[in-house]
Structures are given as C-alpha cells and as structure tokens.
Amino acid sequence: MNRLEQDRSTVTNWKWLREIVEEACQPIGPYWPMKTFAYYNPIRDLEHLPFARAIEEANQLLGAKGFLPVEEYRQFFYQGRITLPALERALGRVGPPLPSRATIRVGARTIHVQDVWRIHAAYGIEILPAVLLTWNLELEGLTTRFRSDLPEDSRSSIIDRTIRECEKCRHDPESAYLHNLWKSSLAACQLSDPVSGLPSFHAPDPSRSAHTSERKTAFVPVDLPIDRTLGDWLDSETGSVLVETINTHMIKWIGAFVDEGVAGWSMPSRNKGFYAAWKELAEGDLSGRFLGIPDLQQKFGELSEAPEEMLCKHLEDLKIPKERWQSYLSRHLAQLPGWAGFIRWRSDHTGYPAQQHYPIDPLQYLAVRLFYESGMVEGLCQREWDIEGTLPALLGYWNEQRQREQALSLPPYHVIDPNNHAVCHQAWRLFHLAQFLELTPIEVHDLSYSDMSTLLEWLDLFPQSAHGPVWLEAYEDIYREYLLRNISGHQGVAPVNHERPRAQGIFCIDARSESFRRHLEAQGSYETLGYAGFFGVPMSHMAFDSHDHLALCPILLTPNAEVTEVPRVGQNDRVEDYLSGTRWHQLSHHLFHDLKHNPFASCMLIDVLGMFFSVGLVGKTLFRGSFDAVKQWLHQWLGGTVATQIPVEASRGNEQGHARLETLALGFTLLEQVAFVEGGLRVIGLTKNFGRFVMICGHGSQSENNPYYAALDCGACGGSHGDPNARVFAAMANNPEVRKILSDRGLVIPEDTWFLPAKHNTTTDRVTMYDLVDVPATHIEDLAQLVRDLEQAGTHQALERCQRIPGAPTTVSPSDAFKHVKQRSMDWANSRPEWGLSGNAAFLIGRRALTKGLDLDGRVFLHSYDPTPDSDGSLLEKIMTAPLIVGELINLTYYFSSVDPWAYGGGSKVIHNMVAGVGVMLGSQSDLQKGLPLQSVNDGARHYHEPMRLLAIIEAPPDRIRSIIQKHALLQHVFHNQWMNLIAFDPGPKNFSRYLSDLTWEPVTMNI
C-alpha cells in the first residue's frame, strides 16, 4: 500500500509526512540569522539543474527574476558595455539550437537564423498588443517613421538606397520607404490593411481564411494551477486578500516566537515549541475573530497535540490530492520565503542555542499556516457561493459556471478580428524585422508565404523569456576577455625576486585584500599570499568576557574543536577592574532596557535621560572623531583592556572555568597542529625562503548602525572577524615541537622566522597586530618597519577605495583619504560604510607572479597555489572543493541580490526595521529580507556590482583540473550546469582554455 494512501486515523508514525515536508523545503534556501550573516546561493537546492532552468523554476515558485531586465541588457549594448561580437558568441554558445532550416534566400542575400536572433535580442521584435494597433498606426504614425533604436548606419543605408531607386521619394525617403514596406509586409502575410480595410497585393489564402473562421474555442476544464495554493488562487480570481491576511498573522506569531532578547515581554510557552505555544495562545487572540473563519472557537478546541496530525487534517479538509501535497506545501513556504528559510535553518541547526530552548521547524509552521488557510477558504466559499471550502467543490462550481457562460456567449463580435490578430502577430513583426535587415519593400513583397513564415518561426524559437542567458553570457564575455588579456599581457612584467623577503603576508582570499596586497608589495621587499581567511582551521571560538560560541569556518564545514580566549598570566588586578566595569555596564544596559519597555517608567525616562542622550546624538552626528575618542577614554577609565591569549594545546579539562560546547574537543593535539600548519603552507606554496616575519592577516569591518555588519566581515569565518583564526594558526606555527616535526617532513622553517597574527580592518584600512608581547626582542626593529609600511599601504588603499565610494573625496592625498575612511566607519547615518565584496567577478588560483603589480580593481579573489609540486592534484582539490565553493556562494549572493533586490535581496535600507534580533523587515511588517540591501550593490540606479557568475581561473594543466571535477558531484553541478565559469591557465605552454559542460576544453584566443 502506498504510504500516501494510508488512512490518517491508522497512522502512528509520521516519518512519511516529515519527508514530504523536507522535500517541499528544498526550493526554499535556508537563511542564517543576521548576526552571523552567511553568503549562500538562495536557490542552492536547484544546483543539480542547469543555471537557466533553475532560475526558471525559482521564478515559477517565488516570482523572483534571475536575470536583469532585457531592457537593461540592451542599454549595456547601446552603451558599448556589451559588444556585437560578444552577443554573437553568446548566441552560438547558449542560444537556441539551430532549426532544420537555418537560412533563406531574399533577393541576392542569404539570411541566417543567427542574424534574426541577434536583431531580436538587441532590439526586440515583439508582437503588438491588439488594443494598441489603431493607436500605433493612426495616432503614433509608427509606419511612417523609423524605430528610434534603428542603428544610424541602417538608416543611412536605407535612405540612400531609397533615393537611388525612387527619384520621387527624395523629399521624404523615410516615410516613402516605410509606407511601401508596411504594404509589402501585409502582402507577404496575405493580410488586409487594418485601417483602410483594403486587401493586400495578394488575395488571402482561402484555406487559411476558412480555417480561421471555423475555429472555435474549446471548453477547457478549470483546475488548480500547479504553482498556486487555494488561498492565492481565490485571491487572483475574486480579489480577496487571503494570502496577505495569513501572512500578517504568521509574521506576528513567528516574530514573537523567534525573538532573541529584543522584545521586552517574551512570548509565553516558547519552550514547548512553536505549534504548542501558538495552540495555547491563539484561542485568546481577539484578532482571530475578524478572519472570517466559521466556528473558530470550535476549531481551536479540536486542535490535536501533534502538528503532524493537524497538517494532514487540513490538507485532507481542503481535499488537495495527495500526489500534490509536496508542491502545495512548497508554494505555502514560498509565500514567506524569508521566514520559511530562517525556520528551515533553525531546524537544521539543532545545536543553535535558541533552537535548543525554543524549537521550531517547517512542519510546525505549515500546520499553523494551513489552519488559517483551511478556515478562511471555508468561510469565503460559504459567504460567496454557499459551497464547501474544498478543491473539488470549487472546481465543480466554476466549471459549471464557465460552461453556462460559454453556452450563452454571443457570436463573433466578441472575438478579436482574425485579420487584425494576424497583423499584430505577423505583419507587425515582419515590418520591424525588415528594417533591421535593411530589406527593400520589393524584397519583402516577393517573399513566399513559406519564407515569411520561416522568419517569424525563427523569432518564435527565441522568445524574450529566453534572452536572459544569452545576454548574461555576452555580459560576462566582455569582462572575461578584458581580464584574461590583462593577465596574459602581464606575464614576465613582474620581476622575480630570489632574495629573502623582508616579510611575507598571508591574507584572506577576499577581493578587498587584492588591492591592499598590491600596495604593501609596493612598499619594499614584501611577498604576499592568499589563503581562505579561516586559515584552514575550522574551530569554535569563545571570546574573553563572552558567552557566544562562534563557528569560525565556512558554512560548508563544521568545527570539531573549540578554543577560548583567556587573560594572560599576571593580570589579576586588571581583570578584576575589567570585570567590575563590565558588570556595571551590563547592569545599566539591562536596567535601561527594562525601564524603556515599562509602560510607566518609559514616560519619565525621556525627561530624566533626554539631555544625556542628546549629547550622544550630537556627538556621534557632528563630532564623530572627538566623540569616539571620549568613548574610548571612558572605556579605559571604567575597566581598561586586558591582554589575552588563545591557548591551542589540547586539554581534557577546563582549567579556565568557562562554559564550553560538550560535543567539541578543547584545543588541538600536536599532530593536529602539525597537520593544519603543514597543510596551509603547502597548499599556498610557502615552503621555502621564509622571511623573518610571516604575517597571518585575517580581516573584519567596523561600522555604526548597520544591521548588515556581518556581511562585511570574513565569509570564510562564517561572517565573523578572522583574527582568532590568525592567532591560532600563528601560535601553532611558532610552536617549536610543531616545527621539529615539520622539519622531519621536509618543511624547514628558519629559527628566526616568526609568525605574527594580524587583522586588516577593511573599512578603515588599518592593520592591528596581536600577541606582540610574544615577539622576540631581536625582531623589534623589523616589526617597527613592518608597522610603518602597513600604514603607508593603508593610506594608498584608502585613496584607491575613495575613487569607488560615492560621496568620498577623490582628489585628496593618501593621508587625507586615510582619515576619511576612519571617519566614515563612525558615521551612523552612512548607509554604505564600504562596498564590501560588491564588484567581485573572478577567483584566481595560482602563483602571485601571474598578477603581481597588476591592478585588478579589487574584483578578484586571489588564492595562492603552486602547481609544480602538486602533480597528483591533491592540493588543488582542497582549494577547489572548499575556498572556491565559498567564493561561488559569495558571488551568487551578490548576483541574486543585484538582479532582483526586492525578492532575492534585502530591498532598501531606508525602510528596514530590525525584527526579533534575527533579521530585518521592510516597514512595520513584511517577509524576512534574505539577501543584501540595495545600497550594497547599487549606486543609485547604477549597478556597482555587475551581476555576473564567478569566473574561476586556475593555473594548472587542464587534465588535472578535469580529473578533480570528475571526482566530485558538487563541482560537476557547479561547472556542468554553468553556475560558475572555468578557465585553465596551463603553466607549460602558457595558454588559456575554457571548460565546457561536455568535459572538453576550448582554446581561448585573445588580441593582446
């Protein structure tokens, strides 16, 4: 017996229903809480499909667009951002397959289907809506003037030829040509003039006319569309607002339940789970009485304790066919994809503290949502049609009504005139296509009906809905050619330095590090390398004086160990002062929070503390630098700072007495430390010629009043700062026991090489060093020089960034730019403290010599890799399966937030409101906004982030890359389904090849 056909009353195991819900969740991407903002592909569960197909499916379910509007791509074409050769190449690569008949002969010319498709993509040869026919022909006179987008060369060519062939047309060749062309188009299509009613040059085909006149509209039974719920179907048919009402109530309940300390009064009974808490409280919710649900109190009394049983009951009450349950539930989830995505994430992360205490999952959410839908549908159907609120009852009623209407319908004058219909679909398109093909009226007039039909069929084979993939490919092609040409032309330009560098800097692969590395290398004998910002050490980290356990690694990984930041030895008095100040701060914070939410105390709070907060308001608005200095002084006076360290050695106990996650080991064993250091150094190719300093430089950001602060931090560290990972890696690499084992394995690190942890603040361009008390006295002078050079690099980096940031000064000195970015980080009214990773476009895996000194505009992720010692591809495999995928996730977050900022993105910051401490809504109530805000990707109407798929460039033999792809289904999905583009730079012959979805390579040729 099929599990879906089991009687509900006999079911005791709901595993089958949970599986249906789990499958229904797949198109809805999970959403991380904002404080740990994670980059991700919002339709990641569709990566098994080709890119364009996945976008189409997501559009059907979510109503979200996966490409820029065609009009925007055409503007890029008119502006020269997309060239004609790029468009032609894109048509050949991703355009429709060639039809069996790909050419026709017109006069002395041969027209190819690609010519028609190119014109259709660039200019749009669309069907004219019938209601606009008279307007366009009589009032607008569009058959007497060229289209405004007709290229000037075509205009000149047509006019010159018209004058040569018709002396009488000299006074107005444009009007004469178009008048005759319109008549010829009607004739070729065997149609009458829709204005005058006069027949065309050829008499219409009798059989064609008879067929049209005899055509009758067949009765098509009504059925529930596959992408609709009963609620939104009724909304579209009747103008009701069932879905909006359901969404309003669901947002209210979810927002209260998932609150993480923002609300002054927490929702009762949350520890019982979402469904149980709602069941307990909903009966007392007076607003439910206005929903139009019949016998509401009785329905509340009939609620089961099991959400599974109630979900099943509601679906059966609506009589939804069981084979459609999965798609039906997917549509329900898609009606609030942000909240549904967050609930899915919560249910997938059972270790998340809030989920441990207050469990919620998609099944509970759906059980509550379907309760409202079944009741409201029942009420609407009873009020409007006096029928049951079930799918069969609605289908029966509407089919009966439509059959009755069809039987009573009056004849033909209710139907669009067949001739006018054909004019809009055929003659209008032929008329416009002929202008771009520069056909003469005689050539169009002499077209056979078969050739005319072929031209129009070619247009039909390439509808506007299929233009997006072609335009995207052309858009990407221009940048790809530009970048590869620059890299190819740069080979041999950067000098090869075999001397010992002053220092090496290992930076995150983050695209913002690219320009900083370039400016640091310009300061002297520095060598820089790129490595994922968690430095290969997945770990949970608990900062000093914090109870948060942060997973500092990519979202693809799970930490197996935890480290805890602790005070250094000998600071008992300072620690006591610090903790005392912290306790006073927490007391004042909680007291203020409680008073602010108290209905009586809040009235007096403004009078008592109004002046105090006014000082702060004026200070951080008008005197940001001074105000920040005062805050820092107060912080030092109240408690000061405590020098800390992060012990990395494995420990069975918990000597510091801190709470820790019991499932994780505390620290790392010696062999684990060796593995992390050796793996990291070998994968980036740093195995010899070490400097006296090897700086391990993580990164983070600094901003005020910015809910998206985590989106500016390190994506490889799960949306957190990367300095703890840098400190841990450096501590491991400085361990003498680790170095001894590494030496035995052939990786010799000189005794005078010191690994120095640091962090690059990407908003202020300052670099902070850590654990400086451990630096040997012999390195103090070198350290001072490094600090000076880092500051100089920061000033030049700040000036470069000022050229890109709207409103920033562009004609100032590097030192003034350095001051500006610092001030900008403290501006609480600034919606764009920095661009973050906006603009990212490529991911380069290879040696620094490929790009050293080359300005990549801060758009390229740089991961160091030396292909020479990696003959088996094991090191490259690690990079391709982890950091490269992280880069893809970052890129797709920006891509989708750019192409549809209101569906995939976060909308505008102007109307954002924080909710529950987990995300933002638009206005007072909306879906949870999932992606990046408009201000993170756009400068006004201009796309600062050009939405393109990531271009991966790998310095390695193509066969090595292909063999790695064949071993991993994840890489096959990404590359074979065109979610990312791949270029190989073969270090032997030094040429580029493009990877194709059929596992072959295509040589890339460029004009240097």
Side-chain angles (χ1 to χ4, degrees):
M1 179 184 295
N2 189 296
R3 68 185 183 189
L4 292 178
E5 296 174 353
Q6 299 179 71
D7 185 78
R8 179 174 53 82
S9 62
T10 65
V11 175
T12 58
N13 185 348
W14 295 101
K15 180 180 178 182
W16 62 271
L17 182 61
R18 296 190 192 98
E19 289 176 351
I20 290 177
V21 172
E22 184 177 346
E23 291 168 0
C25 287
Q26 294 309 302
I28 309 299
Y31 173 71
W32 278 250
M34 181 163 284
K35 64 184 178 183
T36 55
F37 186 94
Y39 292 103
Y40 72 107
N41 176 2
I43 53 174
R44 70 170 191 180
D45 290 302
L46 298 178
E47 280 191 351
H48 62 283
L49 299 174
F51 184 74
R53 171 78 183 283
I55 281 177
E56 182 181 345
E57 290 208 1
N59 175 252
Q60 292 174 356
L61 182 65
L62 303 172
K65 307 301 181 185
F67 301 100
L68 290 175
V70 170
E71 292 74 16
E72 286 198 47
Y73 286 123
R74 287 177 182 155
Q75 283 301 315
F76 293 146
F77 178 73
Y78 302 151
Q79 296 164 6
R81 170 60 179 80
I82 298 176
T83 63
L84 184 60
L87 179 58
E88 292 173 339
R89 289 192 294 268
L91 277 167
R93 289 170 182 156
V94 299
L98 294 179
S100 56
R101 187 184 183 191
T103 61
I104 63 169
R105 192 77 177 171
V106 180
R109 294 176 52 190
T110 297
I111 297 177
H112 195 276
V113 62
Q114 294 278 13
D115 300 329
V116 174
W117 287 345
R118 183 188 67 248
I119 292 170
H120 189 23
Y123 303 103
I125 309 298
E126 304 297 342
I127 295 170
L128 178 68
V131 296
L132 298 179
L133 179 60
T134 302
W135 174 271
N136 279 277
L137 295 183
E138 296 188 34
L139 301 179
E140 288 293 312
L142 295 187
T143 57
T144 60
R145 289 289 175 262
F146 287 128
R147 281 180 47 152
S148 60
D149 54 355
L150 185 69
E152 190 61 39
D153 290 346
S154 295
R155 292 170 185 254
S156 301
S157 175
I158 290 171
I159 289 174
D160 290 346
R161 186 171 56 191
T162 300
I163 293 173
R164 287 198 309 270
E165 296 177 355
C166 178
E167 185 65 28
K168 296 179 180 179
C169 302
R170 181 177 295 275
H171 69 286
D172 191 357
E174 179 181 340
S175 178
Y177 167 79
L178 291 172
H179 174 75
N180 291 330
L181 184 65
W182 176 242
K183 293 172 61 177
S184 296
S185 299
L186 291 170
C189 298
Q190 301 179 4
L191 298 170
S192 299
D193 190 315
V195 176
S196 67
L198 297 175
S200 57
F201 292 102
H202 300 306
D205 185 346
S207 63
R208 179 168 165 271
S209 301
H211 175 74
T212 303
S213 62
E214 293 173 2
R215 186 174 55 198
K216 294 183 179 179
T217 304
F219 174 72
V220 179
V222 177
D223 196 6
L224 176 66
I226 192 67
D227 59 344
R228 294 291 184 90
T229 63
L230 274 180
D232 60 358
W233 193 35
L234 285 170
D235 286 350
S236 65
E237 295 293 329
T238 68
S240 59
V241 288
L242 298 185
V243 172
E244 181 181 342
T245 305
I246 294 170
N247 285 348
T248 298
H249 278 262
M250 294 308 299
I251 292 169
K252 174 183 69 178
W253 288 110
I254 300 168
F257 183 85
V258 302
D259 176 73
E260 297 190 5
V262 175
W265 187 2
S266 296
M267 179 179 178
S269 304
R270 289 198 296 166
N271 59 304
K272 298 178 181 179
F274 176 66
Y275 174 79
W278 169 82
K279 178 177 176 294
E280 183 176 310
L281 299 173
E283 191 170 356
D285 179 18
L286 298 181
S287 65
R289 300 180 183 182
F290 302 100
L291 297 177
I293 300 177
D295 306 317
L296 179 61
Q297 294 304 313
Q298 180 183 338
K299 285 181 168 60
F300 279 132
E302 295 172 352
L303 287 173
S304 167
E305 297 295 328
E308 296 89 347
E309 183 175 351
M310 293 316 300
L311 176 58
C312 193
K313 176 184 182 300
H314 299 323
L315 288 166
E316 291 186 349
D317 287 347
L318 293 169
K319 291 185 169 55
I320 306 300
K322 292 185 178 179
E323 63 273 10
R324 295 184 64 171
W325 281 14
Q326 178 187 328
S327 61
Y328 193 83
L329 295 178
S330 286
R331 179 60 184 169
H332 261 292
L333 293 167
Q335 287 170 344
L336 282 177
W339 286 111
F342 178 65
I343 293 169
R344 179 186 173 188
W345 181 87
R346 281 271 300 257
S347 68
D348 290 342
H349 292 77
T350 55
Y352 186 63
Q355 181 69 4
Q356 289 179 328
H357 294 102
Y358 315 119
I360 185 173
D361 57 55
L363 192 147
Q364 296 182 61
Y365 166 78
L366 288 168
V368 175
R369 187 177 182 94
L370 268 292
F371 169 84
Y372 287 115
E373 184 189 51
S374 62
M376 293 172 68
V377 167
E378 179 186 357
L380 179 64
C381 290
Q382 287 180 2
R383 292 191 304 272
E384 295 291 330
W385 308 293
D386 195 24
I387 61 174
E388 291 182 350
T390 66
L391 178 59
L394 278 167
L395 295 180
Y397 177 80
W398 281 347
N399 279 318
E400 181 182 347
Q401 292 299 312
R402 293 201 177 186
Q403 284 180 316
R404 187 178 303 165
E405 290 173 4
Q406 186 170 356
L408 295 175
S409 62
L410 299 173
Y413 59 82
H414 284 293
V415 181
I416 297 174
D417 178 76
N419 184 79
N420 287 358
H421 180 272
V423 168
C424 294
H425 282 71
Q426 298 178 3
W428 182 261
R429 291 195 292 167
L430 179 62
F431 172 69
H432 286 278
L433 179 61
Q435 295 176 49
F436 288 98
L437 290 172
E438 300 178 21
L439 299 180
T440 67
I442 294 176
E443 289 173 332
V444 173
H445 181 277
D446 292 343
L447 280 174
S448 67
Y449 191 80
S450 172
D451 287 345
M452 180 277 299
S453 298
T454 297
L455 285 172
L456 298 181
E457 285 169 6
W458 288 349
L459 292 175
D460 293 335
L461 289 173
F462 188 38
Q464 182 168 304
S465 59
H467 289 192
V470 174
W471 279 118
L472 177 61
E473 173 67 24
Y475 193 47
E476 295 169 339
D477 185 86
I478 296 298
Y479 178 75
R480 179 168 52 240
E481 183 176 326
Y482 162 80
L483 181 59
L484 295 184
R485 184 187 298 114
N486 283 350
I487 293 175
S488 181
H490 190 69
Q491 299 313 296
V493 174
V496 179
N497 184 11
H498 297 289
E499 297 180 0
R500 187 182 191 185
R502 182 180 300 166
Q504 276 120 349
I506 303 177
F507 289 82
C508 180
I509 59 176
D510 189 288
R512 290 168 291 183
S513 298
E514 177 270 316
S515 50
F516 192 92
R517 289 173 58 183
R518 176 166 27 93
H519 291 301
L520 177 59
E521 290 166 345
Q523 302 307 310
S525 179
Y526 290 103
E527 179 183 347
T528 68
L529 303 100
Y531 193 22
F534 74 116
F535 302 108
V537 186
M539 65 186 196
S540 175
H541 172 254
M542 187 167 69
F544 173 60
D545 196 27
S546 171
H547 300 288
D548 293 330
H549 302 262
L550 299 179
L552 301 185
C553 59
I555 61 174
L556 303 171
L557 304 178
T558 302
N560 292 320
E562 181 177 47
V563 295
T564 303
E565 184 181 19
V566 298
R568 288 181 176 269
V569 177
Q571 299 185 97
N572 294 340
D573 293 340
R574 181 170 291 183
V575 170
E576 281 298 321
D577 291 341
Y578 178 88
L579 294 178
S580 176
T582 299
R583 284 192 291 269
W584 279 108
H585 177 268
Q586 291 176 347
L587 174 63
S588 60
H589 174 78
H590 290 301
L591 179 61
F592 175 74
H593 182 273
D594 292 341
L595 291 174
K596 186 173 65 172
H597 288 86
N598 186 285
F600 301 106
S602 59
C603 297
M604 299 180 291
L605 200 62
I606 298 176
D607 296 327
V608 176
L609 298 178
M611 183 59 69
F612 175 78
F613 284 105
S614 296
V615 172
L617 179 66
V618 172
K620 65 181 182 179
T621 303
L622 302 178
F623 308 101
R624 295 190 295 269
S626 302
F627 183 74
D628 184 69
V630 171
K631 281 201 308 181
Q632 297 298 326
W633 176 83
L634 282 173
H635 176 73
Q636 290 289 336
W637 181 71
L638 288 173
T641 57
V642 176
T644 63
Q645 61 182 350
I646 303 179
V648 299
E649 292 76 14
S651 173
R652 294 183 180 179
N654 189 12
E655 292 81 356
Q656 287 80 31
H658 293 285
R660 48 179 292 264
L661 299 179
E662 295 299 329
T663 57
L664 301 180
L666 184 62
F668 303 94
T669 66
L670 179 61
L671 290 181
E672 286 175 332
Q673 296 179 47
V674 171
F676 286 131
V677 176
E678 181 179 19
L681 295 179
R682 290 195 186 280
V683 80
I684 63 176
L686 180 56
T687 57
K688 57 185 179 180
N689 199 29
F690 289 86
R692 283 172 61 80
F693 276 121
V694 177
M695 182 177 64
I696 313 297
C697 192
H699 69 92
S701 67
Q702 174 184 336
S703 57
E704 294 284 341
N705 191 29
N706 179 22
Y708 288 87
Y709 65 91
L712 301 178
D713 291 336
C714 182
C717 297
S720 299
H721 287 223
D723 48 290
N725 297 76
R727 296 175 72 182
V728 167
F729 187 94
M732 292 177 177
N734 288 328
N735 187 338
E737 295 182 72
V738 170
R739 292 197 182 188
K740 183 178 184 305
I741 297 175
L742 290 177
S743 179
D744 295 339
R745 296 182 180 182
L747 180 54
V748 180
I749 301 175
E751 291 184 4
D752 67 341
T753 293
W754 187 259
F755 285 76
L756 179 66
K759 179 177 68 178
H760 170 212
N761 186 322
T762 55
T763 314
T764 67
D765 288 316
R766 272 75 173 170
V767 174
T768 303
M769 308 287 190
Y770 293 90
D771 301 325
L772 293 179
V773 295
D774 297 327
V775 175
T778 55
H779 288 57
I780 298 303
E781 291 185 11
D782 298 291
L783 177 63
Q785 182 63 50
L786 176 60
V787 169
R788 288 192 295 269
D789 290 339
L790 285 169
E791 183 172 343
Q792 281 299 307
T795 62
H796 291 282
Q797 164 80 343
L799 181 59
E800 179 176 327
R801 287 180 49 233
C802 282
Q803 311 305 309
R804 306 182 190 127
I805 301 175
T810 58
T811 58
V812 295
S813 66
S815 59
D816 287 339
F818 202 47
K819 294 175 184 176
H820 171 78
V821 295
K822 176 66 174 177
Q823 290 281 327
R824 194 179 190 89
S825 71
M826 297 181 287
D827 186 357
W828 72 315
N830 197 320
S831 63
R832 193 183 293 109
E834 61 161 294
W835 274 119
L837 286 164
S838 190
N840 75 85
F843 192 115
L844 193 149
I845 303 171
R847 287 171 285 199
R848 181 58 175 153
L850 279 176
T851 57
K852 186 174 182 179
L854 181 62
D855 186 354
L856 300 175
D857 302 317
R859 304 187 66 181
V860 183
F861 299 95
L862 296 177
H863 198 301
S864 296
Y865 167 70
D866 186 352
T868 306
D870 187 35
S871 56
D872 63 352
S874 58
L875 299 178
L876 180 59
E877 185 174 0
K878 294 178 181 178
I879 300 173
M880 291 180 64
T881 54
L884 180 59
I885 298 302
V886 171
E888 182 229 9
L889 297 178
I890 294 172
N891 172 264
L892 289 175
T893 301
Y894 276 91
Y895 175 89
F896 284 108
S897 295
S898 298
V899 295
D900 197 337
W902 297 98
Y904 287 126
S908 174
K909 283 185 175 183
V910 175
I911 52 176
H912 277 179
N913 275 315
M914 285 293 296
V915 56
V918 300
V920 297
M921 297 190 302
L922 300 179
S924 61
Q925 191 175 66
S926 79
D927 191 18
L928 203 63
Q929 300 304 291
K930 298 175 66 174
L932 294 161
L934 197 60
Q935 287 82 358
S936 291
V937 292
N938 271 30
D939 176 13
R942 180 177 74 92
H943 291 286
Y944 179 81
H945 178 79
E946 296 185 318
M948 300 184 292
R949 292 166 295 186
L950 192 66
L951 172 64
I953 305 172
I954 303 177
E955 183 187 9
D959 289 342
R960 183 184 303 174
I961 300 172
R962 179 168 50 195
S963 66
I964 294 172
I965 295 174
Q966 290 175 324
K967 291 163 60 176
H968 296 277
L970 174 61
L971 295 177
Q972 292 169 28
H973 287 163
V974 167
F975 292 118
H976 295 172
N977 292 330
Q978 299 92 46
W979 291 85
M980 182 167 30
N981 296 306
L982 174 60
I983 298 289
F985 177 71
D986 195 333
K990 298 187 181 303
N991 55 28
F992 292 101
S993 303
R994 180 177 180 176
Y995 186 72
L996 305 179
S997 57
D998 61 359
L999 280 73
T1000 61
W1001 293 91
E1002 174 186 80
V1004 176
T1005 56
M1006 292 167 297
N1007 297 316
I1008 306 301

